[in-house]
Amino acid sequence: MSHRIWGVCATMEPKLPERLLMGPGPSPVSPAVRLAMAEPVVGHLDPRFIQLMDAVADGLRLVFGTANRLTLPLSGTGSAGMETMVANWVEPGDRMLVVRHGFFGERIRDAAARRGAEVAVLDAPWGTAVPADQFFDTLERVGPVKLVAVVLAETSTGVLQPLDGWADAVHAQGGLLLVDAVTAIGGMPVDVDPRGIDVCFAGSQKCLSVPPGLAPFTVGERALAALRDRRTPVGTWYFDLTMLGRYWGQERFYHHTAPVSMVYALAAALEEVRQEGLPARFARHRRAARALWAGLEAMDLELLVDEPHRLPSLTTVRVPDGVDDATVRGLLLERFNIEIGGGLGALRGKIWRIGTMGYGARIENVVRVLSALEVVLGRRGGAEAAWRAWESER
Ligand SMILES: *Cc1c(COP(=O)(O)O)cnc(C)c1O
């Protein structure tokens, strides 16, 4: 008997299904990006590939909102960005403040503690953002700290954390502001330079609509100086940014082999971003999200987050009383080929997470999710309300 486990191969069965990915990631990949991944593989020091690396770095500067020279995609998923941030800037005994308004904030705390940071935590109830005053008060109370880390777009709760004035406050007491922008990049402004963010990481698989596997990363001058001033060597070889900077920078010093086809995919996705234009792209995300909210509310479902703090890329909605979370998600997947996400941590079984990310942030997808939910939950009016909300923004 042959073992035909490779469903991804065109000549083998069964073929993988075409799911509509409306969860917290990965998001739908556009046809142009899929085709880019099928291009011939060239050597990673080929002159044509080096041109592509430069174009990718430029595209990343655009979506990050920065002129930082050290801007590159790390070879790994979004979590590799988190690991790199912590490994390069945390030294044992460093004092750090982690703002924890969800599951990913807790992961930053965990990663930093493993590297020996002395971590203070500022918590906010899940589903809310940290008020500015509370942040400034906490910083004054626990400071001075070398590092402050925060998740801009908390994918576990659907909350957008405002950062007005944060970088100035952190810099004033001699520290650096580190930001997780995984679910923000490509779907809303990250504004690394305008906000004064020192270190920022992201992921390829959310609003950039590239398969999982790359982690965009950018570093400002202040953070570079802190890296040069380290007392101890960086405790990871693969994610040592100084070495990676020599590979992606002018020297092209061999560090590791870039995942060539993934870089093609990111290049194609960034070209699509450039053609659409950032303002139009951000507006499309907001419009799709508002249509989704209107539809969910028309079905008498309760959104977890107050409107001013909602993400345009990820919506959290409470599972109604008497409804089994996993059963509904299973039906959506098996009968309708639609993926949405469940809750993480304390919100497990209590919410659904519906993504409107990148290539997926379109009305036809919102209507498909809502129609399927209407059928499965036995409720009415969602798809129609979404369509009306979408049309009202013309
Ligand atoms: C998805 C996500 C990550 C982790 O990215 P992976 O690609 O799953 O490794 C980190 N932070 C946030 C906010 C995310 O949404």
Side-chain angles (χ1 to χ4, degrees), residues 71-132:
T71 301
L72 60 128
L74 300 170
S75 304
T77 66
S79 305
M82 189 182 288
E83 188 71 26
T84 299
M85 177 178 91
V86 165
N88 283 263
W89 279 277
V90 171
E91 288 187 81
D94 278 349
R95 307 196 58 231
M96 180 171 187
L97 174 63
V98 173
V99 175
R100 184 170 62 178
H101 57 103
F103 182 86
F104 290 101
E106 163 53 21
R107 282 196 164 176
I108 296 179
R109 186 211 58 77
D110 182 10
R114 287 168 191 239
R115 298 270 173 191
E118 268 181 44
V119 186
V121 173
L122 169 54
D123 276 311
W126 286 26
T128 69
V130 174

Side-chain angles (χ1 to χ4, degrees), residues 77-79 104 151 153 155 180 182-183 205-206:
T77 66
S79 305
F104 290 101
V151 178
T155 325
D180 173 339
V182 175
T183 291
Q205 53 141 322
K206 315 257 168 134

Side-chain angles (χ1 to χ4, degrees), residues 95-99 118-124 130-145 148 169-170 173:
R95 307 196 58 231
M96 180 171 187
L97 174 63
V98 173
V99 175
E118 268 181 44
V119 186
V121 173
L122 169 54
D123 276 311
V130 174
D133 287 351
Q134 198 185 345
F135 172 71
F136 298 136
D137 290 348
T138 307
L139 188 62
E140 203 167 291
R141 188 162 45 74
V142 306
V145 292
V148 172
V170 173
Q173 51 93 71

